Amino acid sequence: MASTASEIIAFMVSISGWVLVSSTLPTDYWKVSTIDGTVITTATYWANLWKTCVTDSTGVSNCKDFPSMLALDGYIQACRGLMIAAVSLGFFGSIFALFGMKCTKVGGSDKAKAKIACLAGIVFILSGLCSMTGCSLYANKITTEFFDPLYVEQKYELGAALFIGWAGASLCIIGGVIFCFSISDNNKPPRMGYAYNGATSVLSSRTKYPGAEGDFKTTNPSKQFDKNAYV
């Protein structure tokens, strides 16, 4: 029962993390920078893995898609690949988890389902590591340019998509670890049940005594003692 509850918790945590990781791909604000005037913000620059945009004070946005994948910087290509891999691994991990959970009717025996659940945990951990690496690589590029005094171009700060990606990656890793530990609960030997047959009497109704020739003869225990034995 405890193993089933832990698998359900692991599935909910892992799926939540996978949804968060998937939501980072179309999210706009991977990095953001603002130009402030004396009263209002005059312009907001932001970019993600697919385009770079600027929004003026009236709310009008002008975006420019990256012209060619081969002409992109290496860190953007790496982040794209890692995030797509994270989403794909999370999808397959959710499928394996459905087959490996005890509360489902597919997947075979309990031993086979335990192995499938452990495999789902490993896949979710890999998904979380890919997402964590991709977001950290992108954030490292932003912080390196921001604190470089020789970098004279537009400097950006960390966007909301990075924090969402880190949160989703953490949930995927936590859920995957719980799935991996659930196999140890399934491998525990079942407890042996003992039936209680009631209390037995101290003296049986018939007592056997060995004879001279190895035979046994029976006597009544009431005849072994006379009435003076109880005085």
Side-chain angles (χ1 to χ4, degrees):
M1 186 66 181
S3 176
T4 303
S6 63
E7 287 178 351
I8 294 175
I9 293 174
F11 181 76
M12 295 177 63
V13 171
S14 301
I15 291 297
S16 299
W18 175 59
V19 170
L20 290 177
V21 170
S22 302
S23 66
T24 59
L25 279 176
T27 302
D28 295 331
Y29 295 98
W30 277 67
K31 61 181 181 180
V32 60
S33 178
T34 58
I35 298 177
D36 298 328
T38 56
V39 179
I40 61 174
T41 300
T42 58
T44 300
Y45 295 87
W46 51 271
N48 56 15
L49 298 178
W50 316 102
K51 59 186 177 181
T52 178
C53 301
V54 57
T55 304
D56 57 20
S57 58
T58 61
V60 178
S61 298
N62 295 317
C63 297
K64 179 182 178 182
D65 295 333
F66 294 130
S68 173
M69 184 182 69
L70 300 178
L72 288 175
D73 294 334
Y75 77 98
I76 295 181
Q77 295 183 18
C79 290
R80 281 184 177 182
L82 288 170
M83 296 305 296
I84 293 174
V87 174
S88 301
L89 288 172
F91 173 77
F92 289 110
S94 62
I95 299 298
F96 292 147
L98 289 175
F99 280 90
M101 294 174 65
K102 283 186 175 181
C103 58
T104 59
K105 300 298 183 180
V106 292
S109 62
D110 289 342
K111 188 175 182 180
K113 291 171 76 69
K115 294 180 180 180
I116 297 175
C118 184
L119 177 61
I122 295 174
V123 174
F124 273 123
I125 292 175
L126 292 176
S127 175
L129 291 177
C130 288
S131 177
M132 188 77 70
T133 304
C135 294
S136 299
L137 181 61
Y138 199 92
N140 179 69
K141 181 66 175 179
I142 296 173
T143 54
T144 301
E145 294 177 350
F146 187 86
F147 292 106
D148 187 4
L150 302 179
Y151 188 77
V152 296
E153 297 182 10
Q154 183 72 33
K155 294 184 177 182
Y156 292 88
E157 297 182 3
L158 303 179
L162 296 176
F163 298 99
I164 296 174
W166 282 325
S170 301
L171 291 177
C172 286
I173 293 174
I174 293 172
V177 170
I178 298 175
F179 267 125
C180 290
F181 277 108
S182 66
I183 191 174
S184 61
D185 297 334
N186 292 321
N187 290 334
K188 289 182 179 179
R191 293 184 177 180
M192 298 298 295
Y194 297 95
Y196 179 70
N197 296 326
T200 58
S201 60
V202 177
L203 295 176
S204 60
S205 60
R206 301 175 68 88
T207 307
K208 294 182 180 181
Y209 292 92
E213 298 179 357
D215 297 333
F216 290 88
K217 59 182 179 178
T218 61
T219 59
N220 196 328
S222 61
K223 296 181 180 180
Q224 297 179 23
F225 306 98
D226 58 3
K227 64 180 180 179
N228 295 327
Y230 298 95
V231 178

